[in-house]
Amino acid sequence: MKKYLFMLLAAMTVFVACNEDEPGFETPPAVERLKVSTLTATEIGENEATLNGEILNVGETGIKDVSFYYWEQGDMNTRKKASIELEEGKSFLDGEKFSVHLEDLKSYFDYAYTFAVEDQDARQDGDPISFSTLISSTVSEPSAETLTHESVTFNRALLSGKLISDGGSDNPEITIVCWPKGSPERQSFFSPEKDTDGNFILSEGGVFTAWAENLAPDQEYRYYVVVQNEFASGSGEIKSFVTNSTIYVNLLAPDGGTGASWDSAFNSIGEAMGEAKEGVKIWVAATGDYKEFQLELKKGVDLYGGFAGTENTMEERPENLKTVINAEGLAPDAGKEGTATFKMSASNLNDECKVERFVIKNGKARKGVLYILSGSPHFTDCDILDNQGQYGAAGYLLKNKAVFTRCLFEGNYSTKRAGVFLCSAYKISVDDNSPFFNECVFKDNEAGDEAGALELVGKPRIRNCIFENNRAGKRGSVINMKTSSCVVFEGQNVVIGDPTSSDGAHYRSGGADCGGPDGWVVAK
């Protein structure tokens, strides 16, 4: 049966092929397809436009829908459809044009659209065409004026401007542009405060303010104001200001100060040091005992005491006046960690800062009220008095190049080692522990165990210092030079009073006296 069916199909194929060449035979024409074109938009206004399209070829399968699709330029998620209402049974012609008028568009905005016609087979879309609505006649270019600055500190400034015209916009954007002089690429942008409805807060006359923050000290800055609505922007002229390099502290100042002047001083040293960054000087008035501890010394932040609270220059300070930091009662006992008055843990051994004309007293800390883990603090004309500890009552020095000049160390007591300073080489190179004591006085300090004044490692230097009536149970009523120490004695260092240690005033437990032409003078 399959054989006969195959023969019949072959015969039919031959018959058709032969008949194509017979006179009068015509090949059926191809079916014409629907073609459309998107035309240019017309009647464009602020919020309206007319979209146009043309059917180039109606095709033969029957049109069932004529529409326009439009969207905000670059955002297909905003795509919408506008349909043409068709009469029932309508006949379409080649070249027939259609239009739809839209009235819900945004002013001064870019749109795109396409003409789309659907027949029984598929939908045909014309090429997309773009257009832009017009700017509102009620909106114009806004304008603003840059006003003067206020409350300039070491790291912030209150900048202001005036809104002259918003250009017809309900709530234009307001910005203050600020940058360091000579570095416009480092622009920062600050905005005025807004109310709960999201509107900028303007005072009488349209004045607005904004804090420029995170500024560098002692730096000239440029700034101007910018106002922008949805159509255009306007700006004020460029002005300038210079940040301060000084923070002011006065114990008697009321709360809420900015530190920008004596009249607006901080009332605690800790607050000032928390705000300070490299390059800042902190001036502290000697107007009472500051009850503070755990103050972190920072690279490049210098601390100066001895001010009356009215000075404009360092030279105006009263002679011999010092600022007192009294830690009495702040630490429970001398065996507790983390209770030092000053701590420094710089990232680099050579990171410097200055502490000048302070009295630091009555502190209690297991490892000294001056806890220097790393860095090179310079203490000048400071009195370190009546502090208590276990391993260096006045200070614990690890990786440091600390310098002490014309400082008085008196009445400090360590229950174990080093009545004043203990230098440690714990997990560091001894070469990294090299403090310098210059023209200092060590008086009436005591250690319950060893080293009445100094326990030294590394390469410390001692120049023209006086040691008077310091006491220890053993290993040096003045100094114990530990293993790996190489102490350099310069000038004339004087020891006054009989040594109380069973091992004498100057004890070597492995270290060496590395020089100094004059060395020691013992004056009983």
Side-chain angles (χ1 to χ4, degrees), residues 383-413:
D383 298 342
I384 317 298
L385 311 176
D386 300 321
N387 300 286
Q388 296 180 30
Q390 291 183 359
Y391 300 96
Y396 182 88
L397 306 176
L398 187 60
K399 187 177 181 180
N400 79 99
K401 291 184 178 179
V403 177
F404 300 90
T405 301
R406 296 188 303 277
C407 291
L408 169 64
F409 303 95
E410 183 175 1
N412 301 287
Y413 174 70

Side-chain angles (χ1 to χ4, degrees), residues 213-233:
E213 299 184 303
N214 297 317
L215 306 178
D218 200 22
Q219 171 73 58
E220 184 173 353
Y221 283 86
R222 300 281 193 262
Y223 72 101
Y224 67 94
V225 298
V226 178
V227 180
Q228 183 168 358
N229 58 29
E230 56 266 52
F231 308 111
S233 64

Side-chain angles (χ1 to χ4, degrees), residues 250-414:
N250 189 334
L251 183 67
L252 304 181
D255 293 338
T258 65
S261 65
W262 288 122
D263 292 335
S264 185
F266 291 135
N267 56 21
S268 80
I269 301 171
E271 185 176 11
M273 297 187 74
E275 291 284 340
K277 60 178 67 176
E278 186 173 357
V280 164
K281 296 181 287 290
I282 301 175
W283 291 9
V284 186
T287 49
D289 285 13
Y290 291 81
K291 302 289 287 186
E292 303 190 50
F293 73 145
Q294 295 178 311
L295 301 172
E296 183 76 27
L297 297 175
K298 300 178 182 179
K299 174 187 176 182
V301 175
D302 297 334
L303 196 61
Y304 295 94
F307 291 91
T310 58
E311 295 86 347
N312 295 312
T313 66
M314 197 86 71
E315 292 71 27
E316 294 177 26
R317 283 186 296 178
E319 187 176 358
N320 298 323
L321 186 63
K322 295 182 180 180
T323 298
V324 178
I325 300 176
N326 186 350
E328 185 174 9
L330 299 181
D333 59 69
K336 187 174 178 58
E337 296 279 7
T339 57
T341 302
F342 282 112
K343 176 183 177 181
M344 187 172 188
S345 52
S347 58
N348 190 292
L349 177 64
N350 294 310
D351 289 350
E352 295 185 2
C353 66
K354 295 178 181 179
V355 180
E356 183 179 301
R357 287 176 66 171
F358 280 88
V359 176
I360 302 167
K361 68 179 186 178
N362 295 326
K364 292 182 179 181
R366 182 170 180 265
K367 291 184 178 180
V369 295
L370 305 181
Y371 189 44
I372 313 302
L373 294 179
S374 179
S376 300
H378 290 217
F379 290 83
T380 303
D381 294 322
C382 291
D383 298 342
I384 317 298
L385 311 176
D386 300 321
N387 300 286
Q388 296 180 30
Q390 291 183 359
Y391 300 96
Y396 182 88
L397 306 176
L398 187 60
K399 187 177 181 180
N400 79 99
K401 291 184 178 179
V403 177
F404 300 90
T405 301
R406 296 188 303 277
C407 291
L408 169 64
F409 303 95
E410 183 175 1
N412 301 287
Y413 174 70
S414 174

